[in-house]
Amino acid sequence: MIGMESIRAAAVYRHAPGVEWPSVLEHSAPLYIQLSVPPLSSRLHPFATEGRRTGGVGRCSRSLSKLPPPFVRMNSLKRKRVEAPRIPTLEDVHPYTTWNICVRIYHKFHVERFAVGRTKLNMVLLDEKGKKMAAVIYDDEVDRFETLLVEGRVYYVWRMSAEPIMRNQESKFADSSFLCRFTTQTTISELTHVNEQLIPLYPPFMPFERVWPFAFDNDKYIEVIGMVIYVSSLGFVKDKFYKRNIPVRNIVLLDSSYNMMKIVLWDKYVTDNMIALERCADERAIVIATMLRAKPIDRELHTTDFSRVRFNPDIAAVRELRRRSIMSYPLHEFKGEWKTKDYVINKTGLLAYQDYVK
């Protein structure tokens, strides 16, 4: 008989070899086994009342026929939000570690031979926030990466190490005091169709009003953007070391805050842009000049061997500056004098530095 708290098993007989089954039933004594199981009352539905749990008569608070079985769990159909891990930027880099970073090759230098059988390739990297960091490749890795890395393109770099900057020249290119190094374990993958909203083409341009306070504190190179309002005639400066005449030309730029800045173009930046310089003042061309050296005493920015000068590039900053300049300053009819805090420009082409002009 099956009770509420125990189950009694039927007799179990041993089957001896060579003995027929009827004789076993007649002469073998039965063996009884008692199995204990938990009370059936413990398996009540979770919505049963306390009286039902203790064996009394009770009612469920909800109809059991309308509920799913207790072992079925109804998962929520709401889609869960999954956040991807954040990609590190150049601000997160610290020395003696390896990093996986998505960067743009902002500037790529020429391969340099600094010792017998030793080569080096310097670069400047740009991340999604517009921060610059110097990078270097040595020896065998130069042959591996030199043709793959193209200036202006975006790459995802794996296992790139970081170390402190040891040379003062490398600190002028970047915003960080650390240096990225491509090692034998470094691998790269080029990313195509990356627009300037994801990773900018240029670092943030410095407003003209902040150039001189910034230049007095450090000697880092400067990037500026402005509309050309004046171009000087072609001049030459004699170089005693190379015994040749270096062409030089001055231009004046106007930024979005309507401040002016004098840029001195040297050598190849004059000869390579001869046609553009002749007509950029009349066309109100927008110029982007990068890696300029500041001379606070003369209130001038000079091009270096690493500078880049672009005329009317198709980027968002140029389009915005052109829209504002067309609405505010009709410079196609230049009459009289243009006076500002630092310069006086008259129709005869005179450009002079002034302490203050009212």
Side-chain angles (χ1 to χ4, degrees):
M1 181 177 179
I2 299 177
M4 296 296 294
E5 298 182 357
S6 64
I7 298 177
R8 298 185 179 275
V12 178
Y13 296 92
R14 296 182 180 179
H15 185 198
V19 181
E20 295 182 358
W21 181 256
S23 61
V24 174
L25 294 177
E26 294 178 359
H27 303 286
S28 299
L31 178 63
Y32 295 94
I33 299 177
Q34 182 174 344
L35 301 177
S36 299
V37 297
L40 297 180
S41 59
S42 63
R43 298 188 179 183
L44 292 177
H45 198 275
F47 290 101
T49 58
E50 187 64 24
R52 182 71 176 274
R53 296 179 185 274
T54 55
V57 179
R59 293 184 180 180
C60 295
S61 60
R62 296 176 60 182
S63 177
L64 298 181
S65 60
K66 298 182 180 179
L67 292 176
F71 55 84
V72 177
R73 180 175 297 176
M74 301 297 292
N75 295 327
S76 176
L77 299 179
K78 184 179 180 181
R79 181 177 296 178
K80 296 182 179 180
R81 182 177 181 180
V82 179
E83 295 183 356
R86 186 180 67 89
I87 298 178
T89 61
L90 296 178
E91 293 181 343
D92 303 322
V93 173
H94 52 273
Y96 310 113
T97 53
T98 57
W99 296 86
N100 303 333
I101 303 179
C102 184
V103 294
R104 185 186 297 273
I105 306 299
Y106 173 59
H107 192 96
K108 180 181 177 182
F109 299 88
H110 297 290
V111 178
E112 176 185 356
R113 289 175 174 83
F114 62 97
V116 178
R118 301 287 310 272
T119 57
K120 179 177 65 172
L121 176 62
N122 288 93
M123 297 180 298
V124 180
L125 307 179
L126 198 66
D127 66 356
E128 61 182 7
K129 295 183 178 181
K131 298 297 182 180
K132 298 181 296 182
M133 179 172 285
V136 64
I137 309 175
Y138 287 102
D139 300 333
D140 294 338
E141 309 309 318
V142 174
D143 299 333
R144 186 160 68 100
F145 290 111
E146 200 273 333
T147 57
L148 298 178
L149 297 173
V150 180
E151 184 175 319
R153 297 185 181 180
V154 179
Y155 299 87
Y156 196 90
V157 185
W158 283 274
R159 294 182 294 277
M160 180 176 58
S161 64
E163 57 188 33
I165 291 180
M166 305 302 295
R167 298 176 55 191
N168 185 37
Q169 182 67 21
E170 295 171 344
S171 63
K172 296 180 180 180
F173 302 135
D175 304 325
S176 175
S177 58
F178 304 135
L179 177 72
C180 294
R181 181 173 178 178
F182 287 60
T183 63
T184 56
Q185 299 179 351
T186 304
T187 58
I188 63 173
S189 177
E190 182 179 357
L191 305 180
T192 59
H193 307 292
V194 179
N195 54 27
E196 59 178 314
Q197 282 74 25
L198 297 178
I199 297 184
L201 295 169
Y202 298 93
F205 299 106
M206 185 173 296
F208 292 164
E209 59 185 9
R210 292 179 49 196
V211 169
W212 307 126
F214 176 83
F216 278 115
D217 295 337
N218 53 67
D219 56 350
K220 294 182 181 295
Y221 292 137
I222 298 173
E223 287 79 16
V224 296
I225 182 175
M227 184 185 65
V228 180
I229 62 174
Y230 173 78
V231 179
S232 69
S233 59
L234 180 63
F236 294 90
V237 176
K238 188 175 182 180
D239 187 358
K240 297 181 180 180
F241 183 81
Y242 292 102
K243 296 181 180 180
R244 68 186 185 95
N245 293 327
I246 301 177
V248 60
R249 211 160 186 177
N250 303 328
I251 63 174
V252 177
L253 303 182
L254 184 74
D255 68 354
S256 59
S257 300
Y258 313 117
N259 298 316
M260 291 185 181
M261 180 64 62
K262 179 182 176 182
I263 311 294
V264 182
L265 305 179
W266 291 89
D267 204 1
K268 62 180 181 180
Y269 303 104
V270 176
T271 56
D272 295 346
N273 304 296
M274 190 69 68
I275 299 176
L277 289 172
E278 290 295 334
R279 58 187 184 185
C280 65
D282 297 332
E283 297 177 355
R284 291 189 288 188
I286 307 298
V287 173
I288 291 179
T290 63
M291 294 194 179
L292 302 176
R293 185 178 69 253
K295 290 189 175 182
I297 298 178
D298 299 330
R299 294 276 175 158
E300 298 172 346
L301 295 178
H302 290 246
T303 57
T304 63
D305 295 337
F306 322 112
S307 299
R308 298 285 190 270
V309 179
R310 313 288 188 189
F311 292 85
N312 295 321
D314 187 15
I315 63 174
V318 172
R319 293 190 292 267
E320 177 63 19
L321 181 57
R322 185 182 301 279
R323 184 186 64 83
R324 296 186 61 180
S325 62
I326 292 175
M327 295 174 58
S328 303
Y329 281 86
L331 297 178
H332 61 281
E333 295 181 359
F334 183 74
K335 298 179 180 179
E337 291 185 343
W338 183 286
K339 296 184 179 181
T340 178
K341 182 178 179 180
D342 297 329
Y343 303 105
V344 174
I345 307 172
N346 56 28
K347 57 185 176 181
T348 61
L350 177 63
L351 176 64
Y353 172 74
Q354 301 289 331
D355 293 333
Y356 183 75
V357 177
K358 295 184 180 179

